[in-house]
Amino acid sequence: TDTTDQDDASSAGSDETDEERVDALSMAFQYLACSPFSKDMLIKQLEYEGFSSEAAAWAVDLCGADWDD
């Protein structure tokens, strides 16, 4: 069997996931630059904007905010 098509499909999905994560991270930075958010509220805001729960959580974890403050 030829798995080339399957490999191409899975890497394309990965590219879309990576792009969504980067877009979510960019939007998280934009929100945090203009307004304070709790971690949970920022995730919910990103989900409201259409990002998957996974991409929103990934972005919030990597945005560099100090959630303990």
Side-chain angles (χ1 to χ4, degrees):
T1 56
D2 183 12
T3 60
T4 305
D5 291 338
Q6 291 174 343
D7 291 343
D8 290 345
S10 65
S11 67
S14 178
D15 289 346
E16 290 174 9
T17 300
D18 291 344
E19 184 176 343
E20 181 186 24
R21 287 176 173 183
V22 169
D23 291 346
L25 183 57
S26 177
M27 187 164 284
F29 284 134
Q30 290 174 22
Y31 275 115
L32 290 172
C34 65
S35 184
F37 277 86
S38 70
K39 184 175 183 176
D40 289 340
M41 290 306 297
L42 184 54
I43 290 172
K44 288 179 181 174
Q45 183 63 37
L46 292 172
E47 290 171 344
Y48 175 80
E49 294 291 344
F51 294 103
S52 68
S53 296
E54 186 274 333
W58 181 89
V60 169
D61 285 342
L62 289 179
C63 71
D66 182 2
W67 301 114
D68 294 327
D69 260 350

